[in-house]
Amino acid sequence: MRIPILKLYNYLLISIQTEIDDQTAIQFQEDLLNEIHKTGSQGVVIDLTSVEVIDSFIAKVLGDVVTMSDLMGAKVVLTGIQPAVAMTLIELGIHMRNVPTALDLEQGLLKLHQELGE
Amino acid sequence: MTTQSCVMIQKEWDIVAARQLGREIAKKIGVGTVDQARIATAVSEIARNIYLYAGKGKVCFDVIETIDQKGILITAEDSGPGIDDLSMAMEDGFSTSGGLGAGLPGVKRLMDEFDIKSEVGQGTQIKVIKWVR
Ligand SMILES: Nc1ncnc2c1ncn2[C@@H]1O[C@H](COP(=O)(O)OP(=O)(O)O)[C@@H](O)[C@H]1O
Ligand SMILES: [Mg+2]
């Protein structure tokens, strides 16, 4: 299973709609970095509205992908984290402090727009 | 008594299957949305630990009832290598695999009751309970 990555102007948009197993998460990490490289996109929004579980493994993959993209020169914003997921993450002890987030896809795009100074 | 349902853990997808079943059972007995997420996450953590460190094992679910409470009991068992220093393994950030080390201490915080037994060379058993509020 592969998570689709859409290109919109100079942004990449990802909406995670399915339950992700570890392999899918790792594959996504690789696919996204390749896509950033290929398209030269400077901004990425990963929308997590439909994601019901973020455990420590998925959190690590998401945190890593933000750092890796950053290294490549692309800003990633995570959007739409559900209230129950946010509470669970904090109780797990995962704070994702240096991960940019926004309420929804629209706010995420706005945030990128501001940060990239366009 | 109630019937027990189990998920055998031997491949990556079983981690997903286990957390889905955990959530489903929790929902059925009236657990709220946030606690459902806590349960699904806790199951994901213990199932992944089985897969990663023991290779295989199982996660079982029981609905338990006392005079004044109802809850879900989750038992995870494997016959893997066991945990050599339990108090270390229960510390935030401790990992022998380059993980976040958030699994075991996190599960303890997410659930209402937590019990772990582990014997080197024998395996590991974890029992956790979430009560319906
Ligand atoms: N079922 C198990 N069998 C053997 N060792 C385990 C098991 N579960 C956990 N451990 C050990 O405890 C450590 C901490 O586990 P955990 O808190 O889930 O963090 P992580 O999985 O990120 O390392 C693991 O790194 C591993 O060494
Ligand atoms: Mg773990």
Side-chain angles (χ1 to χ4, degrees):
Chain A
M1 193 176 30
R2 270 179 128 117
I3 298 170
I5 301 172
L6 307 177
K7 183 170 153 40
L8 183 77
Y9 303 105
N10 54 342
Y11 296 141
L12 295 177
L13 301 183
I14 299 97
S15 171
I16 300 182
Q17 296 285 348
T18 50
E19 273 275 10
I20 23 181
D21 68 350
D22 299 5
Q23 196 47 51
T24 309
I26 297 284
Q27 182 68 54
F28 165 66
Q29 197 172 61
E30 201 182 310
D31 287 349
L32 180 59
L33 297 182
N34 284 332
E35 209 52 33
I36 291 171
H37 183 71
K38 209 170 75 191
T39 59
S41 302
Q42 287 185 304
V44 179
V45 180
I46 303 178
D47 186 58
L48 303 168
T49 307
S50 314
V51 174
E52 296 189 317
V53 176
I54 298 183
D55 63 11
S56 67
F57 182 84
I58 299 170
K60 182 175 189 310
V61 172
L62 287 172
D64 286 351
V65 90
V66 172
T67 313
M68 291 167 178
S69 304
D70 204 47
L71 270 177
M72 294 180 64
K75 280 258 158 297
V76 180
V77 180
L78 303 183
T79 63
I81 295 179
Q82 291 184 14
V85 172
M87 286 187 235
T88 309
L89 274 174
I90 298 305
E91 284 166 25
L92 268 181
I94 297 168
H95 295 266
M96 303 191 100
R97 282 205 182 82
N98 36 23
V99 175
T101 54
L103 263 178
D104 55 28
L105 201 70
E106 202 179 335
Q107 297 291 321
L109 284 168
L110 210 65
K111 186 163 188 161
L112 280 180
H113 217 62
Q114 287 162 353
E115 287 203 13
L116 297 173
E118 286 157 355
Chain B
M1 265 321 283
T2 53
T3 48
Q4 189 183 51
S5 17
C6 297
V7 176
M8 305 303 288
I9 307 295
Q10 49 208 147
K11 53 183 193 307
E12 233 163 49
W13 186 259
D14 298 333
I15 302 169
V16 176
R19 71 179 180 232
Q20 284 176 339
L21 182 61
R23 182 191 285 274
E24 206 176 290
I25 293 170
K27 197 172 179 174
K28 219 177 277 169
I29 63 169
V31 169
T33 333
V34 178
D35 278 347
Q36 283 175 37
R38 290 188 174 104
I39 290 165
T41 307
V43 171
S44 200
E45 295 295 342
I46 52 185
R48 176 168 304 95
N49 282 353
I50 291 177
Y51 177 74
L52 273 184
Y53 306 115
K56 57 183 193 324
K58 63 177 178 177
V59 178
C60 296
F61 303 92
D62 292 275
V63 176
I64 51 172
E65 256 169 294
T66 65
I67 308 166
D68 53 0
Q69 300 189 97
K70 191 174 190 181
I72 180 168
L73 162 71
I74 303 163
T75 311
E77 267 174 324
D78 67 65
S79 319
I83 301 170
D84 164 45
D85 188 339
L86 259 186
S87 59
M88 194 96 115
M90 289 305 300
E91 264 174 44
D92 275 296
F94 177 82
S95 176
T96 56
S97 68
L100 292 179
L104 291 178
V107 169
K108 186 168 181 188
R109 284 190 292 265
L110 289 169
M111 304 298 285
D112 295 326
E113 327 241 340
F114 177 94
D115 180 59
I116 182 167
K117 289 188 181 66
S118 191
E119 193 105 31
V120 173
Q122 303 282 307
T124 303
Q125 189 198 54
I126 297 175
K127 279 179 187 281
V128 294
I129 296 173
K130 192 85 198 173
W131 299 109
V132 181
R133 268 177 256 280

